[in-house]
Amino acid sequence: MLMKRDDSLLLIIDVQERLAPAMDSPREVITGCAKLIGVARRLGVPFIITEQYPKGLGPTMADLRQAAGDDAGYLSKTEFSCARNKEIMNNIKKSGKKQIIIAGIESHICVLQTALDLKELGYEVFVVSNACSSRRPLQGIIAFQRLLRHEVDVVSIEMVIFEWLEKSDHPQFKEISGQYVV
């Protein structure tokens, strides 16, 4: 089962100013999510960015806001699972996409609960391992093991990029691979 850009929606979960710095390897997560947003924009893949209680945890990190552009929207929530938030689910349903690519924080809480709920709702769910994190590395490891047990694909940023591109003669291959693949 490959990720197809025409069937995909990118969901970035809670990469916020007061939360992200507390994560294990925060720069990797921030950079990874920004890459995914940048590639999604260039390829026309819709994306949603969520914020967990932004009044307390602050806005989305500046790197992601810059990658998303001025017209991006940010959906706030208090639910751990995005699938339990009516506005977020309405946006997912309205997109008509069946594949949900998830990145963000924390792996073992909001990412995991969202992925499992979306899987149960019939979506094809992919969690981007190197664009996710938790405060403690062990929590992330346990989350990825649990996701795999429940048949949620755990993937990498490069898997997403190259599966969305599909071929090396894609008109944007050179630009995207040069800018987003290191």
Side-chain angles (χ1 to χ4, degrees), residues 93-107:
K93 288 175 186 171
K94 195 168 32 173
S95 78
K97 305 301 181 182
K98 64 178 182 177
Q99 294 184 333
I100 312 299
I101 316 304
I102 300 174
I105 53 182
E106 287 192 62
S107 301

Side-chain angles (χ1 to χ4, degrees), residues 1 12 36-37 41-42 44 51 64 71 75 86 98 113 117-118 128-129 133 142 150 157:
M1 179 172 59
I12 303 291
L36 289 167
I37 291 169
R41 284 185 68 197
R42 280 172 176 69
E51 296 176 333
L64 275 63
D71 56 345
L75 302 178
K86 186 179 250 177
K98 64 178 182 177
Q113 289 184 31
D117 277 348
L118 289 171
V128 187
S129 60
S133 190
I142 294 167
H150 292 279
I157 295 166

Side-chain angles (χ1 to χ4, degrees), residues 10-115:
L10 175 64
L11 179 59
I12 303 291
I13 300 177
D14 308 343
V15 185
Q16 295 164 251
E17 288 181 354
R18 292 192 197 111
L19 188 58
M23 296 303 111
D24 179 52
S25 302
R27 180 49 46 198
E28 181 180 28
V29 174
I30 295 164
T31 301
C33 288
K35 282 181 182 183
L36 289 167
I37 291 169
V39 173
R41 284 185 68 197
R42 280 172 176 69
L43 295 176
V45 174
F47 60 90
I48 295 172
I49 300 172
T50 71
E51 296 176 333
Q52 179 74 24
Y53 183 62
K55 182 178 177 183
L57 296 175
T60 297
M61 295 293 293
D63 305 49
L64 275 63
R65 292 195 313 266
Q66 182 178 357
D70 295 333
D71 56 345
Y74 303 86
L75 302 178
S76 65
K77 64 184 183 67
T78 55
E79 301 84 358
F80 296 126
S81 172
C82 294
R84 294 174 188 240
N85 178 286
K86 186 179 250 177
E87 184 180 12
I88 294 168
M89 278 310 297
N90 284 341
N91 277 273
I92 290 172
K93 288 175 186 171
K94 195 168 32 173
S95 78
K97 305 301 181 182
K98 64 178 182 177
Q99 294 184 333
I100 312 299
I101 316 304
I102 300 174
I105 53 182
E106 287 192 62
S107 301
H108 68 292
I109 303 171
C110 296
V111 170
L112 175 106
Q113 289 184 31
T114 299

